[in-house]
Amino acid sequence: MSVAIDTASAPAPVQETRSDRIVMICNYTALGLFTLAVLYPLVYVLSASLSDPKNVVSGKVWLWPVGFSIESFKAVFDYDSIVTGFSNSVLYAVGGALLATVLTLFAAYPLSRKGLPGKGIIMALFVFTMMFSGGLIPSYLVVDRLGLLNSRWAIVLPAALAVWNMIITRTFFQSTIPEELVEAAKVDGCTDFGFFWRVVLPLSKPIIAVNLLFYAVAQWNSWFTALIYLTNEHLFPLQLVLRQIILQSQFDPSQVRDTAELIRMKELQEQLKYSLIVIATIPPLLVYPFVQKHFVKGAMVGSLKG
Amino acid sequence: MRRDVKRRTFVAGAVGIAATGGSGLLSGCGSGAADTGAAPESLTQPVAELGPLKSGINYPPGYIGPKARRQQTIVTEPATFTVVVPQSLTVGDWAKNEFTRWMEQQTGIRIQWRQVAGKGNDPETMTKINAMMAAGDIPDAFLGITFTRSQLYLYGAQNLFVDLNPYLERYAPNLQLAMKDYPETPKLLKAPDKGVYSFPDINDCYHCRASNGRALLNTEWLRKVGLAMPQTTDEFREVLQAFKQADLAGGGKTIPFGGYKDAALDTFFMNSFLYNAGDPWLAVNDGKVEANYVKDEWREGLKYLHGLYADGLLARDIFTANEDQIKRYGDNPGGPVLGGARVYYWGTLMTLDLVDPKARWHQYETMDPLKGPNGVQVAPWDYLKVGLEVSTLVVTRKCKRPDLLVRWADYQLDLEVVLRSYAGPDFRWSVKGDKGINGKQSIYGMESWNTDETKGKTWDQYGVMYRSGDFRLAERVDPKKPTFESPLYEQTRDHLFPHRQPMERQFPPVTLEADQAALDAEIGLNLKSEVTGSLAKFVTGRLDPNDDGQWADYKSRIGQIGLQPYLEIQQAAYETYQG
């Protein structure tokens, strides 16, 4: 029941008052500071990745690269597991996002229509899984019994539908595709499948984009599922390798039996940490601008009412 | 005929996990599943013998440790086992690793590796391992996965892990020799039910045994203020005051004594008042387990530290600084700012320049423990927790032939195999006259260890090894490129070892029953946070150790957390350990 406000044809701007201007200045200052707070770590990580690791450790790098070097990026590609990890992550993110988006659309559309019998029960079942889960061991058993353990499917399938996304998508359908449109199509002899394919999908680009992004980012960032279900290094995603590098450089300082090794692992970590973060951040950064224009629209419309 | 059966069991051992997976703990733990367990022939194979010694290796006189022998292949028929290992960037792909290939050629035993992400001792690795155990998705063995003693006992008592006792007697001649060198080993290995649920690793790191009591002092500064290395708590205070007054860093930047949060202060300072090995702060007194942190001597130690802090002789951030921060002080451009510090070795304090003989780290020298007002002067020496590691190789009941895995592990205790396992194939035998870390004849040297060259060639210390003290100290030191290893050894030998406490006083690593372990973990954690938190408060002045009321409050808080039941658990476990 939202009231549409026509912002496009708003009247010409009136003279700004003093208080308006103060509000404006405050706004810009606050937003500017906020931007800096978000931007600084990004710039720092990029600079650190392009600096001589020694300068990073000694704290000489604070904004721009000191002692420019791309050694750390070269070192990254020396490790096979990082390269395979990267391609695995891309595969999981793209494949997982596609599969999950398709499933989400298939589940959300019927649930958005009035005529579906047993709609309440199905919805309740979905929501139930948001509140309660079987826990780690039962999930592990299920994955094991399905024969998915230690395969790529163990990463993609258990995460193939997020109820939260499904609800947003359903709401999007409810509010953008009125029942009247279905009826009109039916009068013209269109089947349900035809309607979904020819009318619903073309009208739902924003929500598809949102779903793809949500799922892809979730897959890109996840490491725990991989840790639990995989025992083959060749299937590990990048995040798991990243974690490995950080873990390997942590020692119980009182029990350092091989100090030379400790020093080397520390150096390795300093060298690889920042360049790996840069590498791990690039794909989402590349994708985001293309999805962003749909993003606000899709997520907002979908979450208007529950 | 018999041979066919054998081969089939190997195949089952290797690939049968998926088939039997899921039937494990949930259904089988109480009854003990009948379909698994060692094959009967695994205990009737001929006893393994030691091979003849290889010649041409220069052992120093009186050397105790692994020796190089001519060893036989273990099997002529291919045998395959599934082993779970941690992932490691240094090892790379375990299946393609060079040492893996070498071991396979030498022993004939093939391993199918399953890699678990993590380091083998982090909580997430254990989550994964526990999920595997619960789901019955169990390999033939775990290598480099650090189960605690209590976990080993728990799973061992459930018959999930194999009791290796009978196998070690028959098939581990190298380990038997090593156990003669380290006589505490059998006691440390045994669970309360006398079972041995893992094949151990011996890594006797000399300087690690003393690392909790190590503090460094700037001798260059000592010379400048005209004082000698302090021997007593009072002398130490004078030295710090002199550092402060002289302000040798200039501009008031001098920090007389620093430290960081990962190096406990009490393991150095409290030993001027009573023997204190640090967390969990337990000591054995005539067979009785006692907690240090409620004793009057502890309070005296707090008063001393409180005084030092109040006079500005300890760094303000001594409890909060992290490793990066202490390193930044240590590396301070323009000259040292630290008079001394409680650190484990020079590398935590600063970036080490190993080439320049005048590099800054040479200024800092290990202090003797300080003699307290009552004449107490102890360097806590870790006899029991350093040296022997349990849980290096854990054989499960899925394994049909534990004898072969035990022989495979024992094979790795040979001198040459140890070197290949962690340093790679590029080690070199030393010639007569080469000096080792301890100044005696060296046995081996390794130029490429810990460089990119050994990537994919070693098992990154995850293998089963026997590295005795003599072995570790027999590594050749390049006279042109001396490392910190020799000074670290010498200073430990001269300043800390002479002040060690008797072994009976150390609280040993004990094994707890499952319910006790839960209680121990809970109370232990609360006690730890109370003790460390209050220590910091007492020292920094938020609490006053001279105030009887505040000390009594502290003791009553400790009592309420459950010191009494906690000590009872430890006492019982200690007595079980003593047998």
Side-chain angles (χ1 to χ4, degrees):
Chain A
M1 292 290 123
S2 65
V3 183
I5 298 169
D6 191 353
T7 46
S9 57
V14 281
Q15 187 75 46
E16 274 185 22
T17 65
R18 217 176 107 87
S19 61
D20 272 351
R21 221 170 303 146
I22 293 174
V23 170
M24 271 265 280
I25 291 170
C26 289
N27 253 343
Y28 274 96
T29 324
L31 287 176
L33 285 175
F34 186 68
T35 315
L36 275 183
V38 175
L39 210 57
Y40 176 70
L42 286 176
V43 174
Y44 176 80
V45 166
L46 188 64
S47 299
S49 75
L50 290 170
S51 303
D52 188 337
K54 283 203 184 78
N55 293 330
V56 180
V57 182
S58 58
K60 280 185 199 143
V61 178
W62 67 276
L63 184 63
W64 302 120
V66 178
F68 185 85
S69 117
I70 54 163
E71 277 306 305
S72 56
F73 285 96
K74 278 191 200 147
V76 163
F77 291 102
D78 252 12
Y79 284 86
D80 293 343
S81 46
I82 296 177
V83 180
T84 50
F86 187 84
S87 48
N88 282 333
S89 276
V90 171
L91 187 69
Y92 295 143
V94 173
L98 286 176
L99 179 73
T101 306
V102 169
L103 287 179
T104 304
L105 292 174
F106 283 173
Y109 177 68
L111 286 171
S112 74
R113 299 282 68 111
K114 286 211 177 78
L116 184 74
K119 196 170 117 180
I121 299 172
I122 299 176
M123 201 56 210
L125 285 175
F126 269 116
V127 174
F128 182 81
T129 64
M130 284 177 84
M131 317 285 171
F132 307 96
S133 87
L136 182 66
I137 308 279
S139 311
Y140 189 90
L141 282 171
V142 170
V143 171
D144 183 18
R145 289 296 177 87
L146 290 173
L148 303 178
L149 216 54
N150 209 14
S151 76
R152 295 189 199 276
W153 292 111
I155 304 302
V156 176
L157 283 186
L161 188 119
V163 178
W164 182 253
N165 292 10
M166 199 275 286
I167 291 176
I168 290 182
T169 314
R170 188 198 63 154
T171 314
F172 178 90
F173 286 145
Q174 274 172 350
S175 54
T176 53
I177 305 188
E179 285 300 317
E180 290 81 3
L181 201 56
V182 190
E183 281 161 21
K186 284 206 172 137
V187 170
D188 287 342
C190 189
T191 61
D192 278 325
F193 285 105
F195 181 72
F196 182 74
W197 185 250
R198 286 162 214 255
V199 181
V200 176
L201 285 187
L203 286 175
S204 321
K205 278 181 204 137
I207 202 70
I208 294 175
V210 168
N211 270 308
L212 282 174
L213 186 74
F214 273 172
Y215 283 121
V217 169
Q219 276 290 2
W220 186 262
N221 289 336
S222 95
W223 54 271
F224 193 71
T225 4
L227 178 123
I228 293 295
Y229 295 134
L230 299 183
T231 49
N232 179 351
E233 199 193 39
H234 299 291
L235 304 180
F236 287 175
L238 183 64
Q239 304 295 345
L240 213 48
V241 184
L242 246 173
R243 179 173 168 274
Q244 188 73 29
I245 289 175
I246 292 178
L247 267 186
Q248 258 183 261
S249 61
Q250 287 170 349
F251 286 84
D252 172 2
S254 68
Q255 295 307 312
V256 178
R257 289 170 181 80
D258 293 285
T259 33
E261 190 193 7
L262 170 73
I263 292 175
R264 182 172 146 69
M265 289 319 298
K266 280 265 175 239
E267 273 173 7
L268 181 73
Q269 190 206 351
E270 291 306 332
Q271 196 183 23
L272 295 186
K273 194 163 60 182
Y274 295 107
S275 50
L276 265 177
I277 294 174
V278 169
I279 288 173
T281 324
I282 284 174
L285 280 182
L286 284 181
V287 174
Y288 195 73
F290 297 100
V291 191
Q292 196 241 4
K293 63 177 178 191
H294 299 297
F295 193 72
V296 180
K297 205 170 146 202
M300 283 304 289
V301 175
S303 55
L304 259 182
K305 49 183 183 175
Chain B
M1 207 45 199
R2 191 173 168 77
R3 195 162 276 169
D4 278 345
V5 174
K6 241 200 288 185
R7 199 174 299 149
R8 222 175 301 137
T9 54
F10 287 139
V11 175
V15 296
I17 284 156
T20 44
S23 66
L25 192 69
L26 294 178
S27 58
C29 105
S31 56
D35 59 327
T36 50
E41 71 261 32
S42 62
L43 270 174
T44 54
Q45 301 295 311
V47 172
E49 305 276 355
L50 282 173
L53 282 176
K54 281 184 184 167
S55 56
I57 296 166
N58 296 305
Y59 297 104
Y63 170 78
I64 292 172
K67 294 193 169 171
R69 295 168 187 279
R70 241 185 294 284
Q71 301 199 93
Q72 301 285 322
T73 50
I74 297 172
V75 286
T76 43
E77 299 273 316
T80 305
F81 295 90
T82 312
V83 178
V84 164
V85 283
Q87 186 198 8
S88 157
L89 292 170
T90 316
V91 178
D93 185 347
W94 282 79
K96 291 189 191 135
N97 181 280
E98 200 172 313
F99 183 65
T100 302
R101 223 176 310 146
W102 187 84
M103 272 298 284
E104 202 181 304
Q105 275 168 12
Q106 301 293 314
T107 64
I109 287 180
R110 279 207 62 210
I111 304 292
Q112 254 185 351
W113 304 103
R114 297 181 66 195
Q115 286 135 331
V116 174
K119 235 174 97 180
N121 56 4
D122 51 305
E124 285 83 14
T125 306
M126 285 328 284
T127 309
K128 159 76 182 167
I129 300 290
N130 287 333
M132 292 174 83
M133 302 292 292
D137 175 19
I138 303 171
D140 289 321
F142 295 96
L143 178 71
I145 303 287
T146 317
F147 293 96
T148 63
R149 284 183 154 79
S150 300
Q151 280 169 329
L152 283 175
Y153 176 41
L154 176 73
Y155 288 130
Q158 286 175 9
N159 222 5
L160 282 166
F161 293 166
V162 176
D163 177 7
L164 294 179
N165 258 324
Y167 299 99
L168 297 185
E169 272 164 32
R170 292 177 69 87
Y171 307 118
N174 283 315
L175 183 67
Q176 296 298 342
L177 272 191
M179 289 206 281
K180 282 198 190 97
D181 299 342
Y182 287 85
E184 282 294 307
T185 304
K187 222 163 152 185
L188 286 164
L189 270 181
K190 278 202 170 74
D193 63 353
K194 308 278 177 225
V196 172
Y197 297 113
S198 68
F199 197 103
D201 178 80
I202 294 173
N203 187 3
D204 179 5
C205 164
Y206 187 79
H207 65 82
C208 299
R209 290 188 189 270
S211 56
N212 277 329
R214 194 174 290 115
L216 304 176
L217 204 60
N218 191 329
T219 49
E220 191 67 27
W221 281 19
L222 274 181
R223 205 175 45 76
K224 281 188 185 156
V225 297
L227 289 169
M229 203 63 164
Q231 294 298 323
T232 68
T233 44
D234 289 338
E235 284 174 26
F236 181 64
R237 186 203 297 270
E238 273 167 42
V239 166
L240 295 192
Q241 267 160 351
F243 283 172
K244 191 175 179 200
Q245 261 161 20
D247 190 16
L248 294 163
K253 273 164 69 185
T254 302
I255 302 171
F257 194 83
Y260 71 117
K261 61 178 180 183
D262 295 331
L265 283 184
D266 59 273
T267 53
F268 178 72
F269 287 105
M270 288 298 171
N271 282 294
S272 308
F273 303 89
L274 78 171
Y275 158 62
N276 172 45
D279 184 12
W281 305 281
L282 297 175
V284 181
N285 211 348
D286 273 339
K288 210 166 156 285
V289 181
E290 293 176 343
N292 286 341
Y293 41 73
V294 288
K295 293 195 163 177
D296 290 339
E297 290 90 339
W298 187 268
R299 188 179 172 192
E300 293 308 308
L302 289 177
K303 285 181 191 165
Y304 178 67
L305 282 167
H306 181 87
L308 291 183
Y309 193 87
D311 293 348
L313 303 178
L314 299 181
R316 292 283 123 190
D317 57 0
I318 200 159
F319 289 107
T320 51
N322 63 19
E323 224 188 304
D324 288 344
Q325 279 164 303
I326 182 97
K327 214 165 191 174
R328 224 159 275 168
Y329 293 139
D331 277 337
N332 182 50
V337 293
L338 279 167
R342 163 73 189 100
V343 288
Y344 296 104
Y345 82 116
W346 301 283
T348 16
L349 197 55
M350 60 191 77
T351 314
L352 298 182
D353 181 348
L354 298 176
V355 184
D356 181 5
K358 288 205 184 103
R360 189 183 294 172
W361 65 271
H362 290 290
Q363 292 180 16
Y364 290 86
E365 209 171 292
T366 307
M367 292 165 68
D368 282 273
L370 302 168
K371 189 180 275 190
N374 292 328
V376 179
Q377 184 180 26
V378 185
W381 191 260
D382 198 333
Y383 295 91
L384 303 171
K385 288 182 201 161
V386 170
L388 182 93
E389 282 157 57
V390 295
S391 186
T392 305
L393 179 80
V394 176
V395 182
T396 75
R397 58 160 191 176
K398 277 271 156 64
C399 178
K400 300 286 177 200
R401 292 294 301 274
D403 58 319
L404 294 182
L405 273 182
V406 163
R407 288 182 65 182
W408 178 77
D410 192 67
Y411 193 98
Q412 298 176 42
L413 301 184
D414 178 85
L415 171 64
E416 185 184 338
V417 189
V418 168
L419 285 168
R420 283 176 180 273
S421 173
Y422 85 101
D426 304 328
F427 71 90
R428 263 189 286 155
W429 299 119
S430 297
V431 295
K432 267 221 152 51
D434 281 352
K435 290 276 180 286
I437 291 170
N438 59 3
K440 296 184 190 167
Q441 169 67 39
S442 137
I443 302 176
Y444 59 92
M446 31 201 201
E447 272 80 39
S448 66
W449 181 49
N450 256 323
T451 65
D452 275 342
E453 273 169 56
T454 54
K455 208 167 62 191
K457 290 182 180 173
T458 76
W459 278 2
D460 190 20
Q461 311 207 48
Y462 283 117
V464 187
M465 286 182 274
Y466 175 27
R467 287 175 286 176
S468 66
D470 283 357
F471 164 82
R472 290 181 53 108
L473 296 171
E475 180 184 339
R476 183 174 60 231
V477 177
D478 185 347
K480 284 185 217 121
K481 270 194 304 183
T483 68
F484 50 84
E485 289 284 355
S486 286
L488 192 57
Y489 163 74
E490 285 156 12
Q491 294 181 17
T492 304
R493 181 193 60 193
D494 299 342
H495 299 293
L496 299 174
F497 183 73
H499 300 290
R500 69 198 182 281
Q501 86 288 1
M503 186 167 88
E504 305 79 68
R505 296 225 53 207
Q506 186 181 358
F507 182 70
V510 295
T511 310
L512 299 171
E513 306 273 354
D515 51 334
Q516 286 181 336
L519 198 62
D520 167 75
E522 193 194 324
I523 305 180
L525 197 67
N526 291 334
L527 282 175
K528 181 175 176 174
S529 86
E530 175 62 41
V531 170
T532 49
S534 292
L535 178 90
K537 284 181 197 155
F538 276 124
V539 173
T540 54
R542 282 177 59 202
L543 289 175
D544 186 359
N546 298 300
D547 183 325
D548 290 339
Q550 289 182 4
W551 175 250
D553 284 351
Y554 161 75
K555 286 216 312 196
S556 84
R557 281 200 301 278
I558 298 265
Q560 270 164 14
I561 291 171
L563 180 62
Q564 206 48 44
Y566 178 76
L567 282 179
E568 279 160 21
I569 294 175
Q570 309 303 336
Q571 181 72 37
Y574 171 74
E575 280 161 18
T576 313
Y577 170 83
Q578 290 296 348

